[in-house]
Amino acid sequence: MIKKFTLVMAALLSVLTSQSIIWHFDNYDSTKKTCRFSGWSGTQPTSGKLTIKETTEKGGVTYKVTGIGKGALDGLDEVTELTISANIATIERMAGFHTMKNLSKIKIADGNTKLHIAQGVLIKGDRAICMPQKSTVTAVELDGTVNIDPYAFFNCKNLQSISLEYPFGRYDYTIGSYAFAGSGLTSVKLPQEYEPGNEEGIFDGCKQLKKITCTNTRMTVCKGFARNCENLEEIAFHPAPKEIRQAAFKNCTSLKNFKFDAEVTMKEDSIF
């Protein structure tokens, strides 16, 4: 009888384990008693709601989960609402938000003083980390937020406009690769303070985008800048950029207005 009961309980435990998410952690700090959420396995929650654990145990010691590592959220494509726990203080770039194609809302647990949500966007300091792809927010003003993560607004179809007004004279902010790729933006103005680096595909695949205005005298148009923007009609440079890189406007079949001068460097092939 005892043996049969044990077997039943083992089978039940196996079923429950296979139907729940399994958390993975690393970067254990035995002094600070902290660790980082590094990934997951098992099964995503059927409710669509997921809360990152506040603590975990290892070797009989309780550790606070204070960070989210690169790729930790990869593949959580059934999650619709994510709650970030109170202890989370750091989120690495490319944490995996861009793979969460059904995410509509991010919540910050009470007591978290490092992160906040503004206009549907997850913010840490002067850094915009992520807007959920299914967010219903249509307009965002990022005044004072000077670093936009790669894929931060990726595939946000409802986002139609964004204001990028930054502190005058500050030229150290960044817009990461594919930051607005696939979004619903209709027009965008890059402010004078924007000085790009080696990012790629910032507006790639923005099907509703019709006009881009750039006002930086040092403007380098990055690789794949507005690639596959089939309704893009006008690029307004004030003044002309210093360099345009590969596939910057490839497959922009509606482009009618594009002014530049002989001083512009065309780097690599297939710009248009």
Side-chain angles (χ1 to χ4, degrees):
M1 185 70 177
I2 294 176
K3 184 177 180 180
K4 183 177 180 180
F5 177 77
T6 302
L7 291 173
V8 170
M9 289 303 294
L12 179 60
L13 180 61
S14 176
V15 170
L16 290 174
T17 301
S18 67
Q19 292 181 345
S20 61
I21 194 165
I22 301 170
W23 302 92
H24 302 290
F25 304 97
D26 63 8
N27 282 17
Y28 288 92
D29 187 319
S30 58
T31 302
K32 296 180 180 179
K33 301 296 187 295
T34 61
C35 66
R36 177 179 64 182
F37 165 43
S38 61
W40 66 281
S41 57
T43 304
Q44 299 181 55
T46 56
S47 66
K49 296 182 179 182
L50 182 66
T51 300
I52 297 173
K53 291 185 66 176
E54 288 193 7
T55 62
T56 188
E57 289 191 6
K58 182 181 180 182
V61 177
T62 299
Y63 292 83
K64 290 183 178 180
V65 182
T66 58
I68 300 176
K70 181 178 180 179
L73 299 165
D74 280 354
L76 286 169
D77 55 4
E78 296 177 21
V79 174
T80 58
E81 181 178 298
L82 177 69
T83 300
I84 298 177
S85 52
N87 294 330
I88 298 294
T90 61
I91 300 176
E92 294 184 13
R93 286 168 174 77
M94 300 297 292
F97 290 101
H98 66 291
T99 71
M100 304 176 73
K101 63 182 182 181
N102 285 303
L103 187 64
S104 61
K105 188 174 185 179
I106 298 175
K107 298 170 66 176
I108 306 297
D110 292 343
N112 190 316
T113 60
K114 302 297 183 181
L115 307 170
H116 70 279
I117 303 295
Q119 302 163 84
V121 182
L122 175 61
I123 303 286
K124 175 177 168 55
D126 62 2
R127 174 184 164 210
I129 298 174
C130 166
M131 170 180 270
Q133 292 185 37
K134 297 295 185 180
S135 172
T136 58
V137 175
T138 59
V140 171
E141 294 183 9
L142 288 179
D143 298 348
T145 302
V146 296
N147 295 291
I148 300 175
D149 272 15
Y151 293 91
F153 298 90
F154 175 73
N155 221 25
C156 292
K157 302 297 186 185
N158 291 317
L159 180 64
Q160 298 174 17
S161 66
I162 188 161
S163 172
L164 298 173
E165 297 298 328
Y166 292 90
F168 181 76
R170 181 172 179 176
Y171 293 93
D172 60 342
Y173 81 89
T174 60
I175 299 177
S177 293
Y178 301 99
F180 301 102
S183 71
L185 289 175
T186 58
S187 66
V188 66
K189 179 181 179 181
L190 294 174
Q192 182 178 349
E193 292 77 16
Y194 174 55
E195 187 172 354
N198 293 314
E199 62 274 4
E200 181 177 344
I202 294 174
F203 301 106
D204 192 353
C206 291
K207 303 299 185 183
Q208 307 306 315
L209 189 58
K210 291 187 176 182
K211 182 178 180 180
I212 301 175
T213 303
C214 307
T215 59
N216 192 320
T217 57
R218 293 179 290 271
M219 181 70 180
T220 293
V221 182
C222 70
K223 182 178 180 180
F225 178 73
R227 178 176 46 205
N228 300 318
C229 293
E230 59 191 34
N231 287 303
L232 184 64
E233 298 177 353
E234 181 180 359
I235 305 293
F237 290 114
H238 307 289
K242 66 177 182 178
E243 185 177 297
I244 302 177
R245 297 182 177 175
Q246 185 179 18
F249 303 103
K250 192 173 181 64
N251 297 326
C252 293
T253 54
S254 298
L255 192 57
K256 301 174 183 177
N257 194 336
F258 189 99
K259 296 180 180 179
F260 59 95
D261 58 38
E263 301 299 318
V264 177
T265 299
M266 300 290 188
K267 189 173 183 180
E268 301 177 311
D269 299 325
S270 303
I271 289 173
F272 297 97

